[in-house]
Short mmCIF file of all heavy atoms in Angstrom, two decimals:
data_model
loop_
_atom_site.label_atom_id
_atom_site.label_comp_id
_atom_site.label_asym_id
_atom_site.label_seq_id
_atom_site.Cartn_x
_atom_site.Cartn_y
_atom_site.Cartn_z
N MET U 1 43.37 -6.81 -73.49
CA MET U 1 42.51 -7.95 -73.21
C MET U 1 43.25 -8.99 -72.47
O MET U 1 44.36 -9.40 -72.86
CB MET U 1 41.92 -8.46 -74.58
CG MET U 1 40.99 -9.64 -74.43
SD MET U 1 40.37 -10.01 -76.12
CE MET U 1 38.83 -10.73 -75.54
N GLU U 2 42.66 -9.48 -71.46
CA GLU U 2 43.31 -10.42 -70.61
C GLU U 2 42.92 -11.86 -71.02
O GLU U 2 41.83 -12.21 -71.39
CB GLU U 2 42.79 -10.27 -69.10
CG GLU U 2 43.49 -11.16 -68.17
CD GLU U 2 42.96 -10.90 -66.73
OE1 GLU U 2 42.63 -9.77 -66.48
OE2 GLU U 2 42.94 -11.81 -65.95
N THR U 3 43.97 -12.76 -71.10
CA THR U 3 43.72 -14.11 -71.52
C THR U 3 43.55 -14.96 -70.24
O THR U 3 44.19 -14.73 -69.20
CB THR U 3 44.87 -14.64 -72.40
OG1 THR U 3 46.08 -14.61 -71.65
CG2 THR U 3 45.03 -13.88 -73.70
N LYS U 4 42.72 -15.97 -70.37
CA LYS U 4 42.54 -16.91 -69.28
C LYS U 4 43.07 -18.26 -69.67
O LYS U 4 42.84 -18.73 -70.84
CB LYS U 4 41.07 -17.02 -68.95
CG LYS U 4 40.55 -15.83 -68.17
CD LYS U 4 39.21 -16.15 -67.53
CE LYS U 4 38.81 -14.99 -66.71
NZ LYS U 4 37.61 -15.30 -65.93
N THR U 5 43.66 -18.92 -68.74
CA THR U 5 44.13 -20.30 -68.97
C THR U 5 43.04 -21.31 -68.52
O THR U 5 42.60 -21.17 -67.41
CB THR U 5 45.49 -20.55 -68.24
OG1 THR U 5 46.39 -19.60 -68.59
CG2 THR U 5 46.01 -21.92 -68.58
N ARG U 6 42.79 -22.30 -69.26
CA ARG U 6 41.87 -23.27 -68.94
C ARG U 6 42.61 -24.67 -68.84
O ARG U 6 43.17 -25.12 -69.85
CB ARG U 6 40.73 -23.46 -69.92
CG ARG U 6 39.75 -24.34 -69.67
CD ARG U 6 38.53 -24.36 -70.65
NE ARG U 6 37.66 -25.45 -70.43
CZ ARG U 6 36.58 -25.70 -71.13
NH1 ARG U 6 36.30 -24.92 -72.18
NH2 ARG U 6 35.76 -26.76 -70.77
N TYR U 7 42.59 -25.22 -67.70
CA TYR U 7 43.28 -26.53 -67.46
C TYR U 7 42.26 -27.70 -67.74
O TYR U 7 41.27 -27.69 -67.17
CB TYR U 7 43.84 -26.60 -66.05
CG TYR U 7 44.89 -25.56 -65.80
CD1 TYR U 7 44.53 -24.26 -65.23
CD2 TYR U 7 46.16 -25.77 -66.11
CE1 TYR U 7 45.43 -23.37 -64.98
CE2 TYR U 7 47.17 -24.77 -65.86
CZ TYR U 7 46.74 -23.58 -65.26
OH TYR U 7 47.63 -22.60 -65.10
N THR U 8 42.64 -28.52 -68.64
CA THR U 8 41.67 -29.64 -69.03
C THR U 8 42.40 -30.94 -69.04
O THR U 8 43.49 -31.05 -69.36
CB THR U 8 41.21 -29.31 -70.56
OG1 THR U 8 40.70 -27.94 -70.61
CG2 THR U 8 40.20 -30.29 -71.00
N MET U 9 41.59 -31.93 -68.50
CA MET U 9 42.12 -33.31 -68.51
C MET U 9 41.28 -34.07 -69.61
O MET U 9 40.01 -33.98 -69.67
CB MET U 9 41.92 -33.93 -67.14
CG MET U 9 42.43 -35.45 -67.17
SD MET U 9 42.36 -36.15 -65.50
CE MET U 9 43.77 -35.40 -64.80
N VAL U 10 42.03 -34.79 -70.40
CA VAL U 10 41.34 -35.52 -71.57
C VAL U 10 41.71 -36.99 -71.37
O VAL U 10 42.82 -37.30 -70.87
CB VAL U 10 41.74 -34.97 -72.96
CG1 VAL U 10 41.25 -33.62 -73.14
CG2 VAL U 10 43.24 -34.97 -73.13
N ASN U 11 40.85 -37.83 -71.99
CA ASN U 11 41.23 -39.25 -71.98
C ASN U 11 41.94 -39.59 -73.25
O ASN U 11 42.38 -38.73 -73.96
CB ASN U 11 39.95 -40.09 -71.81
CG ASN U 11 38.96 -39.87 -72.99
OD1 ASN U 11 39.24 -39.26 -73.99
ND2 ASN U 11 37.75 -40.34 -72.82
N LYS U 12 42.25 -40.92 -73.41
CA LYS U 12 43.06 -41.39 -74.56
C LYS U 12 42.46 -41.03 -75.93
O LYS U 12 43.15 -40.90 -76.86
CB LYS U 12 43.35 -42.76 -74.44
CG LYS U 12 44.27 -43.17 -73.32
CD LYS U 12 44.59 -44.61 -73.30
CE LYS U 12 45.50 -45.04 -72.12
NZ LYS U 12 45.77 -46.40 -72.02
N ARG U 13 41.17 -40.96 -75.97
CA ARG U 13 40.50 -40.58 -77.23
C ARG U 13 40.28 -39.11 -77.50
O ARG U 13 39.76 -38.69 -78.41
CB ARG U 13 39.05 -41.26 -77.22
CG ARG U 13 39.10 -42.82 -77.23
CD ARG U 13 37.76 -43.41 -77.22
NE ARG U 13 37.30 -43.29 -75.86
CZ ARG U 13 36.14 -43.72 -75.40
NH1 ARG U 13 35.29 -44.27 -76.30
NH2 ARG U 13 35.77 -43.66 -74.19
N GLY U 14 40.83 -38.36 -76.56
CA GLY U 14 40.84 -36.89 -76.76
C GLY U 14 39.54 -36.19 -76.25
O GLY U 14 39.33 -35.05 -76.45
N GLU U 15 38.69 -36.94 -75.53
CA GLU U 15 37.44 -36.41 -74.99
C GLU U 15 37.70 -35.76 -73.56
O GLU U 15 38.49 -36.24 -72.86
CB GLU U 15 36.44 -37.49 -74.81
CG GLU U 15 36.02 -38.15 -76.13
CD GLU U 15 35.20 -39.44 -75.90
OE1 GLU U 15 35.18 -39.95 -74.76
OE2 GLU U 15 34.62 -39.96 -76.86
N GLU U 16 37.09 -34.61 -73.35
CA GLU U 16 37.33 -33.94 -72.13
C GLU U 16 36.67 -34.64 -70.98
O GLU U 16 35.51 -34.97 -70.99
CB GLU U 16 36.74 -32.55 -72.18
CG GLU U 16 36.99 -31.68 -71.02
CD GLU U 16 36.42 -30.27 -71.18
OE1 GLU U 16 36.56 -29.69 -72.23
OE2 GLU U 16 35.82 -29.76 -70.18
N ILE U 17 37.47 -34.83 -69.94
CA ILE U 17 36.94 -35.53 -68.69
C ILE U 17 36.42 -34.42 -67.72
O ILE U 17 35.28 -34.40 -67.30
CB ILE U 17 38.02 -36.36 -68.04
CG1 ILE U 17 38.54 -37.52 -68.90
CG2 ILE U 17 37.51 -36.84 -66.64
CD1 ILE U 17 39.63 -38.25 -68.39
N TYR U 18 37.25 -33.41 -67.42
CA TYR U 18 36.88 -32.20 -66.70
C TYR U 18 37.84 -31.12 -66.90
O TYR U 18 38.97 -31.33 -67.43
CB TYR U 18 36.64 -32.51 -65.21
CG TYR U 18 37.83 -33.09 -64.39
CD1 TYR U 18 38.74 -32.19 -63.77
CD2 TYR U 18 38.00 -34.41 -64.26
CE1 TYR U 18 39.78 -32.71 -63.10
CE2 TYR U 18 39.07 -34.91 -63.54
CZ TYR U 18 39.94 -34.10 -62.96
OH TYR U 18 41.04 -34.57 -62.33
N HIS U 19 37.44 -29.93 -66.42
CA HIS U 19 38.32 -28.74 -66.67
C HIS U 19 38.24 -27.84 -65.47
O HIS U 19 37.25 -27.92 -64.68
CB HIS U 19 37.91 -28.06 -67.91
CG HIS U 19 36.66 -27.44 -67.89
ND1 HIS U 19 35.49 -28.16 -68.17
CD2 HIS U 19 36.20 -26.15 -67.57
CE1 HIS U 19 34.43 -27.36 -68.08
NE2 HIS U 19 34.84 -26.23 -67.68
N SER U 20 39.10 -26.89 -65.34
CA SER U 20 39.11 -25.89 -64.37
C SER U 20 39.76 -24.61 -64.91
O SER U 20 40.64 -24.65 -65.80
CB SER U 20 39.87 -26.37 -63.07
OG SER U 20 39.86 -25.38 -62.07
N ASN U 21 39.47 -23.50 -64.29
CA ASN U 21 40.02 -22.25 -64.74
C ASN U 21 41.29 -21.88 -63.95
O ASN U 21 41.95 -20.92 -64.26
CB ASN U 21 39.08 -21.06 -64.66
CG ASN U 21 37.86 -21.23 -65.65
OD1 ASN U 21 38.10 -21.77 -66.75
ND2 ASN U 21 36.74 -20.75 -65.36
N SER U 22 41.53 -22.58 -62.79
CA SER U 22 42.75 -22.32 -62.03
C SER U 22 43.51 -23.56 -61.82
O SER U 22 42.93 -24.72 -61.80
CB SER U 22 42.31 -21.75 -60.64
OG SER U 22 41.68 -22.73 -59.87
N PHE U 23 44.80 -23.43 -61.67
CA PHE U 23 45.64 -24.60 -61.54
C PHE U 23 45.31 -25.38 -60.16
O PHE U 23 45.30 -26.57 -60.08
CB PHE U 23 47.07 -24.22 -61.55
CG PHE U 23 48.01 -25.37 -61.44
CD1 PHE U 23 48.17 -26.30 -62.46
CD2 PHE U 23 48.82 -25.55 -60.27
CE1 PHE U 23 49.08 -27.38 -62.39
CE2 PHE U 23 49.67 -26.61 -60.13
CZ PHE U 23 49.79 -27.61 -61.16
N LEU U 24 45.25 -24.52 -59.09
CA LEU U 24 44.95 -25.09 -57.78
C LEU U 24 43.63 -25.85 -57.76
O LEU U 24 43.44 -26.86 -57.10
CB LEU U 24 44.98 -24.09 -56.64
CG LEU U 24 46.38 -23.58 -56.35
CD1 LEU U 24 46.39 -22.53 -55.30
CD2 LEU U 24 47.36 -24.69 -56.05
N GLY U 25 42.57 -25.30 -58.45
CA GLY U 25 41.28 -25.92 -58.51
C GLY U 25 41.37 -27.28 -59.35
O GLY U 25 40.78 -28.20 -58.99
N PHE U 26 42.21 -27.29 -60.34
CA PHE U 26 42.41 -28.42 -61.11
C PHE U 26 43.08 -29.53 -60.28
O PHE U 26 42.65 -30.71 -60.30
CB PHE U 26 43.26 -28.14 -62.37
CG PHE U 26 43.46 -29.23 -63.31
CD1 PHE U 26 42.50 -29.72 -64.11
CD2 PHE U 26 44.66 -29.91 -63.23
CE1 PHE U 26 42.68 -30.81 -64.90
CE2 PHE U 26 44.91 -31.01 -64.12
CZ PHE U 26 43.87 -31.43 -64.91
N ILE U 27 44.08 -29.14 -59.56
CA ILE U 27 44.83 -30.16 -58.70
C ILE U 27 43.89 -30.58 -57.60
O ILE U 27 43.86 -31.83 -57.31
CB ILE U 27 46.09 -29.57 -58.24
CG1 ILE U 27 47.11 -29.20 -59.22
CG2 ILE U 27 46.68 -30.47 -57.11
CD1 ILE U 27 47.56 -30.38 -60.06
N GLY U 28 43.14 -29.71 -57.04
CA GLY U 28 42.15 -30.13 -55.96
C GLY U 28 41.13 -31.08 -56.45
O GLY U 28 40.84 -32.04 -55.79
N SER U 29 40.55 -30.74 -57.62
CA SER U 29 39.50 -31.76 -58.14
C SER U 29 40.17 -33.05 -58.51
O SER U 29 39.45 -34.06 -58.45
CB SER U 29 38.84 -31.02 -59.30
OG SER U 29 39.69 -30.70 -60.33
N THR U 30 41.31 -33.00 -58.96
CA THR U 30 42.01 -34.27 -59.39
C THR U 30 42.21 -35.16 -58.11
O THR U 30 41.92 -36.33 -58.06
CB THR U 30 43.38 -34.05 -60.02
OG1 THR U 30 43.19 -33.23 -61.22
CG2 THR U 30 43.95 -35.31 -60.42
N ILE U 31 42.76 -34.55 -57.04
CA ILE U 31 42.94 -35.25 -55.84
C ILE U 31 41.60 -35.77 -55.21
O ILE U 31 41.49 -36.88 -54.71
CB ILE U 31 43.78 -34.42 -54.80
CG1 ILE U 31 45.20 -34.18 -55.34
CG2 ILE U 31 43.79 -35.04 -53.44
CD1 ILE U 31 46.03 -33.25 -54.55
N LEU U 32 40.64 -34.84 -55.25
CA LEU U 32 39.30 -35.20 -54.73
C LEU U 32 38.71 -36.36 -55.54
O LEU U 32 38.13 -37.29 -54.89
CB LEU U 32 38.37 -34.04 -54.82
CG LEU U 32 36.97 -34.20 -54.23
CD1 LEU U 32 37.10 -34.49 -52.73
CD2 LEU U 32 36.14 -32.98 -54.54
N ALA U 33 38.89 -36.38 -56.82
CA ALA U 33 38.41 -37.52 -57.59
C ALA U 33 39.04 -38.84 -57.25
O ALA U 33 38.44 -39.89 -57.19
CB ALA U 33 38.51 -37.22 -59.07
N GLN U 34 40.37 -38.76 -57.08
CA GLN U 34 41.12 -39.96 -56.69
C GLN U 34 40.69 -40.52 -55.27
O GLN U 34 40.51 -41.66 -55.17
CB GLN U 34 42.59 -39.67 -56.72
CG GLN U 34 43.17 -39.33 -58.05
CD GLN U 34 42.98 -40.44 -59.09
OE1 GLN U 34 43.15 -41.60 -58.75
NE2 GLN U 34 42.55 -40.14 -60.26
N VAL U 35 40.58 -39.57 -54.36
CA VAL U 35 40.20 -40.01 -52.98
C VAL U 35 38.78 -40.62 -53.01
O VAL U 35 38.52 -41.67 -52.37
CB VAL U 35 40.36 -38.75 -52.03
CG1 VAL U 35 39.68 -39.14 -50.73
CG2 VAL U 35 41.78 -38.45 -51.83
N LEU U 36 37.85 -39.89 -53.61
CA LEU U 36 36.47 -40.45 -53.75
C LEU U 36 36.38 -41.74 -54.42
O LEU U 36 35.53 -42.62 -54.01
CB LEU U 36 35.52 -39.33 -54.35
CG LEU U 36 35.24 -38.14 -53.51
CD1 LEU U 36 34.39 -37.22 -54.25
CD2 LEU U 36 34.68 -38.42 -52.15
N GLY U 37 37.20 -41.92 -55.49
CA GLY U 37 37.26 -43.15 -56.20
C GLY U 37 37.64 -44.37 -55.23
O GLY U 37 37.07 -45.48 -55.29
N VAL U 38 38.76 -44.06 -54.53
CA VAL U 38 39.16 -45.14 -53.55
C VAL U 38 38.14 -45.39 -52.50
O VAL U 38 37.82 -46.61 -52.10
CB VAL U 38 40.47 -44.68 -52.87
CG1 VAL U 38 40.88 -45.53 -51.74
CG2 VAL U 38 41.58 -44.61 -53.92
N ILE U 39 37.49 -44.35 -51.95
CA ILE U 39 36.47 -44.56 -50.95
C ILE U 39 35.27 -45.36 -51.47
O ILE U 39 34.80 -46.28 -50.84
CB ILE U 39 35.99 -43.19 -50.35
CG1 ILE U 39 37.09 -42.59 -49.46
CG2 ILE U 39 34.69 -43.39 -49.54
CD1 ILE U 39 36.76 -41.22 -49.08
N MET U 40 34.85 -45.12 -52.70
CA MET U 40 33.75 -45.79 -53.36
C MET U 40 34.10 -47.29 -53.49
O MET U 40 33.34 -48.14 -53.33
CB MET U 40 33.37 -45.15 -54.63
CG MET U 40 32.70 -43.83 -54.40
SD MET U 40 31.26 -43.80 -53.43
CE MET U 40 30.12 -44.67 -54.50
N PHE U 41 35.31 -47.58 -53.91
CA PHE U 41 35.77 -48.91 -54.15
C PHE U 41 35.86 -49.67 -52.77
O PHE U 41 35.38 -50.77 -52.74
CB PHE U 41 37.19 -48.94 -54.80
CG PHE U 41 37.81 -50.33 -54.95
CD1 PHE U 41 37.22 -51.16 -55.89
CD2 PHE U 41 38.78 -50.73 -54.13
CE1 PHE U 41 37.80 -52.45 -56.11
CE2 PHE U 41 39.28 -51.98 -54.21
CZ PHE U 41 38.80 -52.85 -55.21
N LEU U 42 36.39 -49.04 -51.79
CA LEU U 42 36.42 -49.70 -50.43
C LEU U 42 34.98 -50.03 -49.89
O LEU U 42 34.86 -50.93 -49.22
CB LEU U 42 37.26 -48.88 -49.50
CG LEU U 42 38.74 -48.84 -49.73
CD1 LEU U 42 39.45 -47.85 -48.84
CD2 LEU U 42 39.36 -50.15 -49.81
N LEU U 43 34.07 -48.99 -50.15
CA LEU U 43 32.77 -49.24 -49.73
C LEU U 43 32.09 -50.43 -50.44
O LEU U 43 31.43 -51.22 -49.76
CB LEU U 43 31.94 -47.95 -50.04
CG LEU U 43 30.48 -47.97 -49.53
CD1 LEU U 43 30.37 -48.15 -48.03
CD2 LEU U 43 29.74 -46.71 -49.99
N PHE U 44 32.31 -50.54 -51.73
CA PHE U 44 31.86 -51.66 -52.47
C PHE U 44 32.46 -53.03 -51.96
O PHE U 44 31.75 -53.95 -51.71
CB PHE U 44 32.23 -51.48 -53.95
CG PHE U 44 31.88 -52.72 -54.90
CD1 PHE U 44 30.52 -52.87 -55.14
CD2 PHE U 44 32.75 -53.52 -55.30
CE1 PHE U 44 30.17 -54.00 -55.94
CE2 PHE U 44 32.46 -54.61 -56.13
CZ PHE U 44 31.10 -54.77 -56.41
N VAL U 45 33.76 -52.99 -51.64
CA VAL U 45 34.39 -54.21 -51.07
C VAL U 45 33.87 -54.50 -49.77
O VAL U 45 33.59 -55.74 -49.40
CB VAL U 45 35.86 -54.05 -51.04
CG1 VAL U 45 36.62 -55.12 -50.32
CG2 VAL U 45 36.53 -53.93 -52.56
N ALA U 46 33.57 -53.58 -48.90
CA ALA U 46 33.06 -53.78 -47.58
C ALA U 46 31.63 -54.37 -47.66
O ALA U 46 31.27 -55.21 -46.88
CB ALA U 46 33.05 -52.46 -46.82
N ILE U 47 30.78 -53.88 -48.60
CA ILE U 47 29.39 -54.41 -48.71
C ILE U 47 29.49 -55.91 -49.13
O ILE U 47 28.82 -56.74 -48.63
CB ILE U 47 28.64 -53.54 -49.69
CG1 ILE U 47 28.44 -52.20 -49.06
CG2 ILE U 47 27.38 -54.31 -50.10
CD1 ILE U 47 27.76 -51.20 -50.05
N ILE U 48 30.36 -56.17 -50.17
CA ILE U 48 30.50 -57.51 -50.66
C ILE U 48 31.02 -58.48 -49.50
O ILE U 48 30.47 -59.56 -49.36
CB ILE U 48 31.39 -57.55 -51.90
CG1 ILE U 48 30.81 -56.76 -53.05
CG2 ILE U 48 31.73 -59.05 -52.26
CD1 ILE U 48 29.43 -57.24 -53.52
N SER U 49 31.97 -57.99 -48.72
CA SER U 49 32.57 -58.81 -47.65
C SER U 49 31.51 -59.03 -46.64
O SER U 49 31.38 -60.11 -46.00
CB SER U 49 33.77 -58.11 -47.07
OG SER U 49 34.76 -58.02 -48.00
N GLY U 50 30.65 -58.05 -46.34
CA GLY U 50 29.64 -58.20 -45.31
C GLY U 50 28.62 -59.21 -45.75
O GLY U 50 28.06 -59.96 -44.95
N ILE U 51 28.17 -59.16 -46.95
CA ILE U 51 27.25 -60.08 -47.50
C ILE U 51 27.83 -61.52 -47.44
O ILE U 51 27.16 -62.50 -47.15
CB ILE U 51 26.71 -59.71 -48.98
CG1 ILE U 51 25.88 -58.47 -48.80
CG2 ILE U 51 25.95 -60.83 -49.53
CD1 ILE U 51 25.59 -57.86 -50.19
N ALA U 52 29.10 -61.67 -47.86
CA ALA U 52 29.73 -62.92 -47.81
C ALA U 52 29.80 -63.50 -46.45
O ALA U 52 29.80 -64.71 -46.23
CB ALA U 52 31.05 -62.79 -48.51
N SER U 53 30.08 -62.62 -45.53
CA SER U 53 30.27 -63.16 -44.09
C SER U 53 28.92 -63.66 -43.47
O SER U 53 28.86 -64.38 -42.52
CB SER U 53 30.85 -62.03 -43.17
OG SER U 53 29.88 -60.92 -42.93
N ILE U 54 27.78 -63.14 -44.01
CA ILE U 54 26.55 -63.65 -43.59
C ILE U 54 26.25 -64.98 -43.97
O ILE U 54 25.73 -65.87 -43.16
CB ILE U 54 25.36 -62.64 -44.11
CG1 ILE U 54 25.40 -61.34 -43.47
CG2 ILE U 54 23.98 -63.32 -43.88
CD1 ILE U 54 24.52 -60.38 -44.11
N PHE U 55 26.70 -65.37 -45.11
CA PHE U 55 26.54 -66.75 -45.64
C PHE U 55 27.65 -67.72 -45.32
O PHE U 55 27.67 -68.86 -45.78
CB PHE U 55 26.33 -66.71 -47.20
CG PHE U 55 25.01 -65.96 -47.55
CD1 PHE U 55 25.11 -64.73 -48.18
CD2 PHE U 55 23.73 -66.50 -47.36
CE1 PHE U 55 23.92 -64.08 -48.41
CE2 PHE U 55 22.62 -65.89 -47.57
CZ PHE U 55 22.67 -64.68 -48.16
N ASN U 56 28.63 -67.28 -44.56
CA ASN U 56 29.78 -68.09 -44.29
C ASN U 56 29.41 -69.06 -43.07
O ASN U 56 29.07 -69.08 -42.24
CB ASN U 56 30.98 -67.32 -43.93
CG ASN U 56 32.19 -68.16 -43.92
OD1 ASN U 56 32.13 -69.35 -43.98
ND2 ASN U 56 33.36 -67.47 -43.62
#
């Protein structure tokens, strides 16, 4: 019987954030989540800056 390794990321309370069955998939999803988080933050800042420049 073959065993499978499951890579799991948990938060400080022990709750599962996400998981993957392969190490490269886990690393890829981690990097993707970080990049998308930065893009969403920059998009939010750009929208706020655009609105602020209209009223300046």
Side-chain angles (χ1 to χ4, degrees):
M1 183 174 205
E2 185 178 329
T3 61
K4 287 193 172 191
T5 303
R6 181 176 174 184
Y7 299 92
T8 305
M9 181 175 282
V10 295
N11 61 12
K12 291 182 181 181
R13 292 179 282 182
E15 300 167 344
E16 181 177 320
I17 297 173
Y18 59 88
H19 66 274
S20 179
N21 291 330
S22 68
F23 182 72
L24 291 178
F26 182 76
I27 296 299
S29 62
T30 303
I31 292 172
L32 182 65
Q34 296 298 319
V35 169
L36 289 178
V38 169
I39 290 172
M40 292 301 290
F41 176 73
L42 291 177
L43 182 64
F44 176 73
V45 170
I47 290 171
I48 297 298
S49 296
I51 292 171
S53 69
I54 291 173
F55 295 108
N56 191 358

